[in-house]
Amino acid sequence: MMERESLYRLIELPAEVVIRLQAVRQEVDLEQAAPYLDRLTERGTAAEAYKELGTFLAGEEVRGQEWKTDMKMLYCQLECAGRIFERYRQKGIEKTIYADTMKCFTRFLRECEQKNGRMFFDRGWWTYRQVSMGLFRIGTLEYEFDRHEGEDVIAVHIPSDADLSPEAVEHSLREATDFFRMYYPEYSYDRYTCESWLMSPVLKQLLPGGSNIVSFQERFTIVSEDREGKEFIEWLFQVPADTAYEKLPERTSLQRRAKELLLAGGSVGSAFGIIRI
């Protein structure tokens, strides 16, 4: 197991968050939480265990101190992250991949601060994937065990700090293929999938030819679109999804063009695509 302080340093956890974690440390009984944590580190039970752990932690809240619940969840998930380090070692997976994967916690905290003006942990519903070894960051992209149409696939996710240049994407996809063949040879899949606002064909109308986003899209065969989805607002503009269109920032050319589209009654939405290998 990786020691708590070593993990915090490895993933470059903000100092203010470390202080807050120290404040809730005495309030989380890891022995009582053990049944949830054990299942949280297993891919097959992590989703359910996350929900049950949330209920357990909320039940321990002190009235007027509800802010502590998100830090308790972060504390518990980082405890799980430390525990699975040994599994990485046993499989022979590089420490770099472990660190890059677990740095999602720091990235999400920073994103939360940018979007909400304060730093708290609101991604426990996602990060159980990382602490159960269901998702790995390999290079610029993330890869998750998934199912599509009844078959095993690898779902590709695009972190907010991803380099989508053709070279970086190609390297990541190649490394991922080698990774799963080497460390999970029993997992048979023949396609990568990706569902994201960055896959929306609408973006081709808003971006210049040859953009990295369009280049990324063109690797996939788009099989479905969702023009009604609003999640792109949070990711593109780094603001809460219910922000009035008139108040959306215009710091980039893509933001300006997307805002014009929204004000004119259009939308970006999202799309789902497949790469067969």
Side-chain angles (χ1 to χ4, degrees), residues 1 4 8 24-38 53 56-57 60 72-80 83:
M1 175 174 174
R4 193 172 292 112
Y8 293 174
V24 302
R25 181 175 179 176
Q26 302 304 319
E27 300 181 32
V28 178
D29 188 331
L30 292 179
E31 186 172 332
Q32 287 190 10
Y36 308 108
L37 303 187
D38 290 344
L53 176 61
F56 168 76
L57 295 176
E60 292 191 337
K72 289 179 181 179
M73 178 59 76
L74 178 60
Y75 179 83
C76 287
Q77 291 208 8
L78 288 175
E79 172 71 16
C80 291
R83 293 181 182 186

Side-chain angles (χ1 to χ4, degrees), residues 97-144:
I97 291 179
Y98 172 82
D100 289 348
T101 300
M102 298 309 158
K103 282 181 179 178
C104 67
F105 289 98
T106 304
R107 185 175 75 250
F108 290 155
L109 287 163
R110 296 294 189 193
E111 289 173 359
C112 178
E113 181 181 38
Q114 183 174 11
K115 183 179 68 175
N116 298 288
R118 62 189 182 91
M119 190 178 292
F120 57 93
F121 183 58
D122 61 352
R123 303 289 180 85
W125 56 270
W126 182 260
T127 49
Y128 69 76
R129 296 164 170 83
Q130 282 87 342
V131 300
S132 63
M133 296 181 72
L135 182 154
F136 303 90
R137 182 158 189 174
I138 304 172
T140 196
L141 300 170
E142 293 176 328
Y143 300 86
E144 180 185 8

Side-chain angles (χ1 to χ4, degrees), residues 209-225:
S211 78
N212 287 339
I213 292 175
V214 173
S215 174
F216 179 82
Q217 287 184 5
E218 290 178 344
R219 293 175 180 271
F220 293 80
T221 299
I222 303 299
V223 297
S224 64
E225 296 180 50

Side-chain angles (χ1 to χ4, degrees), residues 183-210:
Y183 301 115
Y184 293 92
E186 74 283 359
Y187 189 80
S188 178
Y189 70 100
D190 65 358
R191 73 198 77 174
Y192 290 108
T193 66
C194 184
E195 184 172 17
S196 171
W197 72 273
L198 287 166
M199 296 288 287
S200 171
V202 174
L203 292 177
K204 292 183 178 180
Q205 306 168 23
L206 307 177
L207 292 166

